[in-house]
């Protein structure tokens, strides 16, 4: 990483002068919606649908039968949240392009004037999908590739068709032409078998797309920051509340709401259901969600089994930025680094709070190097 994770943690520690307390707004700033519960791949490192997990008797019943949100359900969600102007992410533990209501959701997000994004594995990214995204001026799409060689792609994604993925990205860029949107990015999950490819990955995609996102590998249900190369547990600052339940709502295809993107791995962890309990606002402000927030604000996160060993709270701290090597590099934590190509910032929508824009908990300062 260009901004060293160890230095970020030291800066974070200096920022802590007292116990941080977070507040939630009347409605979430980020709405993460799972249009369907299925995926067309079985990536080896996937916490949801890897081949190993699919074969296990512990594979959640929730995933065994395909579920697709109806157009009516999608429309009801967006109509309810639209007055509050959250940013919308059209995937959780699924591949959005196989969802039956994907096209409808994209059009509805933009019809209501919301900022939208999603992450895709890129397999189904074709001219029709690209035209939809360009015609609707959809804000942002990221394609997960995780490798610069076919051999490493096989380890990361279980496929070796790297040229096909590159071609699909090129189709999107070609259809976009001189249009501003969507903002196109590539993601790379950093692991012990591919991190050495990051420099070449950045150099290759810098010439094509608008940004590259490097993510640290997240261990099943218990994100462990020490698994990120160059990070040691002794560098960690004193723990603070996690912003996830104060900022994001994560909605499954059946309407279940899970506390955060990490607990999305286990469909059995549920805090409510928007289709059964009165909608997004009702669940967002229910006793269960408020209890989780209270435990975090009083330093009692250990009372929540799924929070006890989780390090993802580190993303709550201030966003760090620097300009270097033709990138505006933004790093909310060692888990995530955005490399924004400097001469392609005209389509950067800061209303996309999903770690791309400026959320309520982010105090941005730029250091030029």
């Amino acid at each position: 990483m260009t901004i060293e994770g160890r230095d970020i943690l030291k800066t974070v520690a200096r920022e802590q002068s007292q116990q941080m307390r977070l507040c939630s707004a009347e409605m979430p700033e980020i709405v993460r919606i799972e249009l369907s519960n299925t995926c067309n791949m079985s990536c080896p490192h996937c916490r949801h649908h890897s081949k190993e997990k699919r074969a296990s008797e512990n594979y959640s019943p929730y995933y065994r039968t395909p579920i697709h949100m109806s157009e009516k359900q999608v429309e009801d969600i967006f109509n309810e949240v639209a007055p509050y102007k959250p940013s919308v992410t059209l995937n959780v533990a699924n591949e959005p392009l196989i969802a039956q209501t994907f096209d409808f959701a994209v059009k509805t997000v933009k019809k209501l004037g919301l900022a939208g994004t999603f992450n895709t594995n890129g397999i189904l990214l074709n001219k029709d999908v690209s035209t939809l995204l360009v015609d609707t001026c959809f804000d942002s799409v990221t394609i997960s590739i995780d490798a610069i060689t076919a051999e490493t792609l096989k380890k990361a994604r279980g496929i070796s068709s790297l040229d096909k993925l590159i071609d699909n990205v090129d189709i999107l860029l070609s259809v976009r032409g001189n249009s501003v949107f969507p903002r196109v990015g590539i993601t790379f999950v950093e692991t012990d078998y591919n991190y050495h490819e990051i420099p070449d990955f950045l150099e290759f995609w810098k010439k094509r797309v608008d940004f590259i996102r490097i993510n640290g590998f997240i261990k099943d249900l218990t994100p462990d920051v020490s698994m990120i190369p160059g990070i040691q547990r002794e560098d960690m600052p004193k723990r603070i509340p996690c912003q996830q339940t104060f900022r994001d709502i994560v909605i499954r295809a059946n309407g279940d709401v899970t506390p955060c993107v990490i607990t999305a791995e286990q469909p059995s962890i549920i805090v409510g259901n928007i289709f059964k309990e009165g909608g997004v606002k009702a669940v967002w402000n229910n006793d269960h969600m408020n209890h989780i927030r209270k435990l975090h604000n009083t330093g009692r996160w250990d009372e929540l089994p799924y929070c006890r060993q989780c390090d993802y709270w580190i993303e709550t701290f201030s966003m760090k930025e620097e300009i270097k090597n033709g990138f505006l590099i933004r790093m909310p934590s060692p888990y995530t680094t955005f490399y924004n190509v400097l001469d392609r910032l005209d389509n950067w929508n800061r209303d996309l709070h999903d770690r791309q824009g400026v959320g309520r908990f982010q105090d941005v300062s730029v250091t030029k190097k």
Side-chain angles (χ1 to χ4, degrees):
M1 295 182 181
T2 301
I3 305 178
E4 293 296 335
R6 184 184 296 257
D7 292 339
I8 286 292
L9 293 182
K10 289 179 179 178
T11 301
V12 161
R14 289 197 299 269
E15 290 176 349
Q16 278 185 175
S17 58
Q18 58 185 6
Q19 174 65 43
M20 179 184 290
R21 292 178 61 85
L22 302 180
C23 296
S24 61
E26 185 178 1
M27 287 283 266
E29 288 190 1
I30 299 174
V31 176
R32 303 183 188 276
I33 179 173
E34 190 178 69
L35 297 173
S36 73
N37 67 334
T38 57
C39 188
N40 57 346
M41 291 183 67
S42 298
C43 300
H45 64 221
C46 180
R47 297 181 295 119
H48 309 277
H49 304 291
S50 68
K51 184 178 295 186
E52 181 182 358
K53 289 186 182 297
R54 289 179 187 268
S56 170
E57 61 181 18
N58 296 321
Y59 191 52
S60 173
Y62 170 77
Y63 290 131
R64 295 180 186 274
T65 302
I67 301 171
H68 293 268
M69 279 193 186
S70 68
E71 289 188 359
K72 175 68 164 55
Q73 290 172 327
V74 172
E75 187 172 41
D76 286 348
I77 292 171
F78 292 155
N79 280 338
E80 182 185 1
V81 303
Y84 300 88
K85 297 298 181 184
S87 65
V88 175
T89 302
L90 295 179
N91 65 285
V92 181
N94 64 305
E95 168 51 45
L97 297 189
I98 65 175
Q100 295 173 0
T101 52
F102 174 75
D103 288 18
F104 178 80
V106 166
K107 293 174 182 177
T108 304
V109 166
K110 298 316 300 176
K111 181 182 73 173
L112 294 172
L114 299 174
T117 185
F118 66 88
N119 196 86
T120 174
N121 57 41
I123 297 295
L124 299 178
L125 184 59
N126 56 28
K127 186 174 181 179
D128 288 343
V129 173
S130 300
T131 300
L132 169 69
L133 299 174
V134 173
D135 287 350
T136 57
C137 294
F138 199 76
D139 299 272
S140 177
V141 55
T142 54
I143 301 94
S144 296
I145 295 184
D146 302 333
I148 198 64
T149 63
E151 294 76 16
T152 302
L153 183 67
K154 181 70 173 178
K155 294 179 182 179
R157 300 245 142 210
I159 60 174
S160 55
S161 51
L162 180 61
D163 289 344
K164 172 62 175 173
L165 291 178
I166 294 172
D167 287 345
N168 288 356
V169 175
D170 285 344
I171 289 172
L172 173 56
L173 294 171
S174 176
V175 171
R176 187 181 70 174
N178 293 324
S179 299
V180 176
F181 297 105
R183 185 163 174 76
V184 179
I186 303 297
T187 65
F188 184 105
V189 176
E190 183 179 10
T191 65
D192 57 358
Y193 57 76
N194 70 355
Y195 74 94
H196 63 282
E197 291 190 358
I198 290 178
D200 289 341
F201 189 88
L202 290 172
E203 188 62 29
F204 177 83
W205 287 108
K206 177 183 180 180
K207 302 170 184 176
R208 282 176 158 82
V209 299
D210 306 317
F211 70 95
I212 301 103
R213 186 180 72 206
I214 307 295
N215 289 342
F217 176 73
I218 295 178
K219 189 173 67 173
D220 287 6
L221 199 60
T222 53
D224 181 354
V225 75
S226 66
M227 293 187 69
I228 300 173
I231 303 297
Q232 304 297 324
R233 181 149 297 281
E234 54 265 29
D235 296 321
M236 289 284 281
K238 182 180 178 182
R239 186 165 181 172
I240 62 168
C242 179
Q243 70 177 346
Q244 287 279 316
T245 58
F246 295 85
R247 186 195 65 177
D248 305 25
I249 192 166
V250 183
I251 305 171
R252 312 308 297 258
N254 64 356
D256 285 344
V257 173
T258 188
C260 69
V261 294
I262 303 302
T263 57
E265 180 187 326
Q266 291 194 358
S268 59
I269 302 177
I270 302 167
V271 295
N273 185 291
I274 64 166
F275 299 145
K276 300 175 182 177
E277 299 173 29
V280 175
K281 187 174 183 179
V283 175
W284 177 249
N285 295 287
N286 71 12
D287 290 344
H288 200 154
M289 287 292 287
N290 285 330
H291 178 64
I292 293 172
R293 295 173 186 134
K294 181 179 179 180
L295 291 179
H296 271 262
N297 270 339
T298 55
R300 295 159 57 199
W301 37 73
D302 281 356
E303 296 180 29
L304 298 165
Y306 44 81
C307 296
R308 189 176 302 137
Q309 301 298 322
C310 179
D311 285 340
Y312 211 61
W313 55 269
I314 197 69
E315 291 232 336
T316 303
F317 287 106
S318 301
M319 182 78 72
K320 304 301 175 188
E321 293 193 351
E322 68 174 338
I323 294 175
K324 189 175 182 180
N325 297 331
F327 290 112
L328 167 60
I329 306 170
R330 310 186 78 231
M331 188 176 186
S333 85
Y335 279 114
T336 310
T337 305
F338 286 96
Y339 292 84
N340 299 280
V341 181
L342 275 178
D343 59 4
R344 299 196 192 112
L345 292 175
D346 58 326
N347 58 8
W348 182 24
N349 185 347
R350 283 177 175 258
D351 290 334
L352 276 173
H353 298 319
D354 190 9
R355 295 176 299 173
Q356 295 184 49
V358 182
R360 278 188 299 123
F361 308 124
Q362 297 166 343
D363 177 21
V364 177
S365 58
V366 178
T367 302
K368 294 185 179 182
K369 293 187 178 180

